[in-house]
Amino acid sequence: MTPGFAQASITFGYSIIITAGLSFIGAGVQPPTPEWGSMIAAGKDGIIIGQWWPSVFPGIAMSACVFGFAVVGEALQDIFLRRT
């Protein structure tokens, strides 16, 4: 069961990144559905003129979510390894 938790947390994080990447290039979820990749893509042109926040904050939120899945998977793995 322990390797399953590790693999699930990696798979969840990977799927979030892949979905955001597809939306960033325009091949994923279509607007007006909110998605992190499309939010980053919408704000990418503003970075040149100093409006960095429309791209940076969705990127931070996505990174925090992926990191959160990794932490939860690691915690579950530690909990189940201690019980055995």
Side-chain angles (χ1 to χ4, degrees), residues 1 14 18 29 38 45 48 50 52 55 59 62 68 74 76-77:
M1 191 90 176
Y14 186 70
I18 291 296
V29 179
S38 59
D45 296 329
I48 296 171
W52 50 270
S55 289
M62 183 177 65
E74 184 69 26
L76 287 174
Q77 185 176 7

Side-chain angles (χ1 to χ4, degrees), residues 44-53:
K44 71 178 169 36
D45 296 329
I47 292 175
I48 296 171
I49 58 174
Q51 295 178 345
W52 50 270
W53 54 90

